[in-house]
Amino acid sequence: MSKTIIISNRLPLQISLENNNLEVTPSVGGLATGLKSFHKDGDSIWIGWSGLTEEEIPENLLEEVKEQARKEDCVAVNLSEEEIEGFYYGFSNRTIWPLFHYFMEYTEADKDHWETYKNVNKKYAQEVLKHYKDGDHIWVHDYQLLLVPNMIREQQPEAIIGFFNHIPFPSYEVFRTLPWRDEVLKGVLGADLIGFHTYDYERHFLSSVSRILRHQVNFNEITLPERIVKVDSFPMGIDYNKFEDAALNHFKNTEEQRTELQRRLDHHANETPEAKLILSIDRLDYTKGIANRIRAFEYFLDRHPEFIEKVRLVMLAVPSRSNVPQYKRLKREIDELVGRINGKFSTVSWTPIWYFYRSMPFENLIDLYTSCDIALLTPIRDGMNLVAKEFVATRIDQKGVLILSEMAGAAHEMNEALIINPNNFEQISETLIQAIEMPVEEQQQRNKTLQKRLKRYSVEKWASDFMQALQNTSQDRDAFKATRVSSKVSDEIMEKFKNAKNRILFLDYDGTLVNFTDKPEKAKPDQELTELVDHLNQSKNTDVVLISGRDKDTLGSWWKKIPVELIAEHGVWMRQKDSEWELSENVNNDWMSAVRPVIETFVDRTPGTFIEDKNYSLAWHYRKADPELGEIRANELSNVLKELISNRGLSVLEGNKVLEIKSSGVNKGKASNKKLVGKEYDFIFAIGDDWTDEYMFEELPEDSITVKVGMKKTSARFYIEDTSKVRDILKRFAENS
């Protein structure tokens, strides 16, 4: 029976060491809660770091740590202090975290940290591989483990892998500044399904993949040579019932059962019943906009002194990464701001800011959520922000107002909140007044809608939706029409090849025998390829035909010394063995002077594009253009050309980053079929990579072995991953000829 393997930086356990005794308690938090049902109710294991470094665990307790983790269906990854320093505090939190949150000035590019990050990711991947069995579903979490999906994929190509990024993904302009951008993208693309909290992050990721790795992106699908990767947004929810129930129980508490914090809050409410409490809860992090929030509150009091003694900001800052320099500076800045503003506005009976710098137990969080009238959450950049959702879930009477930064992922699904720009103090000030003066009926109407949505899309629903989508990717893979040329399929093809009396091989050139290059003239065949084709060409009972969209002069010069049959310009020209070029079709090129100026305007408007002249066709290449602009212009040019040439007997071929205008009566299918006339072949093999080869796949006899290079929609019977695999199969032909 298959299982789910969950991988995150930390285990969903708190493992601590007290007097040489281990204490293990479950973690609280969105991820641990969301995956609890999969982890506990199903057959699954959770792999992560225990929270204790190798140096902190006495040797006699090492096995006990593993055993305690095993009892909770967890597997502990052991990490040293040096690894934690380079992997977690280093690359994860001094490189990825600031960069992905757009704080480029804090982003470090330390090569040693990168090397440690790679090594630790490898540790996690190896631990997964120890426990992986065919059919298991693997779910990797967050920015600390960006390389793990591909590390697993390299060892288990058929594995079903999901990856979820819990922080923002930055725009291409920001992401491309990362020195190891290619490696990071390739690492994540090891997954079958990649999830983000919002469509914006999804869009930024797709843009980076398209522009940096130059992979084809269609809507939310990335086409890799061997498979298709799906990218989607799954906004993470909260354990709604937990917060709703806690709030209900909170109001049932007697005076004696109330916490000290709640008594203080009650005292404030009794003394100043008209005053409003404004809640601010965050981890102490520069991405949360805490300093700006305090300055905005000062701006509000300066502009509206009538609210002095009528509002109070209750601010909880939970300590985080206190050994990182930026966090130390931020702590000092916030301390100074709070002190200055309290000194500036305080009266004998009132201070504007109550400031707590510490972690609080869950019951105290509920005290704050239920007692405050307004939540003011103004992150500069935030992946989701679950505090906003938790606040709304605790509004039992549906009173209260949420003010939320538009930069938080949660803002996309919480439109009923008052949405603000965290850098606009004037807007924050006016919104605070709107919140303070908002009628109860409007508060309840807004919160009722929010609560209904949050209850429906809980953290459990988030996890369930992701896992269902991951399951669907495996079904999509199975439903793909073409069959992958596996070792078994390759053996079957070889058997047919060996037993055949007469064979013919139709081999496309660019993207099949050689990889694409920025300039077409650079794709000259290397020595290995020429020797391989020559060997096949001289084999008994074997005809080899190179069938390409290339012009005859280039193709002929490259294969001048090898007397192989050539078909150029998609079938316009043919060169028999040891013969000269001859026209295979009665075509003309008098249309080119009218069409060329149209294409030239697109070259002028689209940097990186150029025209390739052939004898009887024109090709517009856009491989070097910006991917998104190139696709837009290609679509536009295609429509213009189709209208222009509609009555000229011409057609527009859409190849791999190229548009080609040529005679409608000429294509690779027609050309390849001509080669079959008058000779009985019992082994017909055709291989190509783009839409121009589809004519060949469609028109060759049904029992032909047709192969597409890359996992794309195709009429071919089989597909093969890339040009290196093409060479492998041709080498096997050569060995068996």
Side-chain angles (χ1 to χ4, degrees), residues 417-518:
L418 302 181
I419 307 297
I420 52 91
N421 180 334
N423 300 305
N424 188 336
F425 290 1
E426 180 67 32
Q427 184 189 28
I428 294 172
S429 177
E430 293 305 311
T431 305
L432 277 170
I433 294 173
Q434 182 186 352
I436 292 166
E437 297 177 348
M438 184 180 289
V440 170
E441 294 79 11
E442 184 181 347
Q443 294 177 35
Q444 291 176 325
Q445 184 180 4
R446 288 172 180 265
N447 286 323
K448 184 179 180 181
T449 305
L450 282 170
Q451 287 178 344
K452 186 177 179 181
R453 187 180 307 127
L454 293 179
K455 193 164 192 172
R456 185 175 65 249
Y457 203 86
S458 64
V459 68
E460 291 88 354
K461 182 72 164 57
W462 163 80
S464 175
D465 281 1
F466 185 93
M467 290 302 291
Q468 183 58 55
L470 182 59
Q471 179 66 42
N472 291 343
T473 64
S474 63
Q475 293 169 2
D476 293 343
R477 190 193 300 179
D478 296 338
F480 201 78
K481 184 180 177 183
T483 303
R484 187 172 74 86
V485 180
S486 60
S487 57
K488 182 184 176 185
V489 171
S490 180
D491 289 342
E492 290 170 357
I493 293 173
M494 289 308 139
E495 194 63 30
K496 290 180 181 177
F497 179 86
K498 282 192 289 186
N499 295 331
K501 293 177 182 177
N502 286 304
R503 318 167 183 125
I504 187 166
L505 311 178
F506 292 103
L507 310 178
D508 172 49
Y509 188 76
D510 293 282
T512 301
L513 297 182
V514 297
N515 285 317
F516 287 102
T517 58
D518 290 339

Side-chain angles (χ1 to χ4, degrees), residues 224 271 296 312 505 522 569 655 702:
L224 301 184
E271 290 292 310
R312 173 175 278 124
L505 311 178
K522 287 184 177 180
E569 297 185 30
E702 281 187 21

